[in-house]
Amino acid sequence: MTNIFIILSVSPLTQVASQKSASGTMGMRTIVMRELGGQWAPSYAAKVFSPQAEGQFRTGDIVAASLRFRVSANQVTGQIYQDVVAEEIVKLSSPNKASEIENIEIPF
């Protein structure tokens, strides 16, 4: 399912090993985003892989994203991990000025 999010932070683009890529690496970045709906709406730290990771995302952008959640468990310790990957992410709008990023108000 696709939801609308506001980007809270974007990590720098890094290269990770990939067997599926011809060069042996692919770009990856982590984007922290919050669903529209106010301060207490759910937030997610999602991994974004190439070619979408190479897009120009910045704090305050409004995006539509489809997230995939993968849960895994460590058999020895019993710890549970959740991996969130943005399968598709599209920028819908971007603030015009840096001052607009600081004063973002969600109308919901």
Side-chain angles (χ1 to χ4, degrees):
M1 183 166 95
T2 302
N3 288 334
I4 308 298
F5 299 92
I6 185 166
I7 294 181
L8 303 177
S9 69
V10 179
S11 73
L13 183 67
T14 58
Q15 296 294 319
V16 294
S18 171
Q19 296 176 354
K20 296 180 180 181
S21 173
S23 65
T25 63
M26 72 172 15
M28 184 207 66
R29 70 174 66 212
T30 301
I31 297 179
V32 178
M33 54 188 136
R34 181 178 66 219
E35 286 184 19
L36 291 184
Q39 180 180 357
W40 305 111
S43 297
Y44 304 97
K47 293 179 185 173
V48 181
F49 295 97
S50 290
Q52 295 177 38
E54 294 158 5
Q56 296 297 321
F57 297 107
R58 42 180 227 183
T59 302
D61 286 349
I62 305 295
V63 297
S66 176
L67 303 180
R68 177 177 45 109
F69 299 89
R70 186 177 61 102
V71 177
S72 60
N74 184 320
Q75 297 294 328
V76 177
T77 63
Q79 292 178 319
I80 297 175
Y81 302 95
Q82 183 173 18
D83 193 28
V84 181
V85 176
E87 291 185 332
E88 185 176 0
I89 185 167
V90 177
K91 186 188 305 186
L92 300 177
S93 71
S94 181
N96 294 330
K97 302 175 199 153
S99 62
E100 290 181 16
I101 294 173
E102 298 168 1
N103 298 321
I104 293 173
E105 290 187 26
I106 309 299
F108 301 17

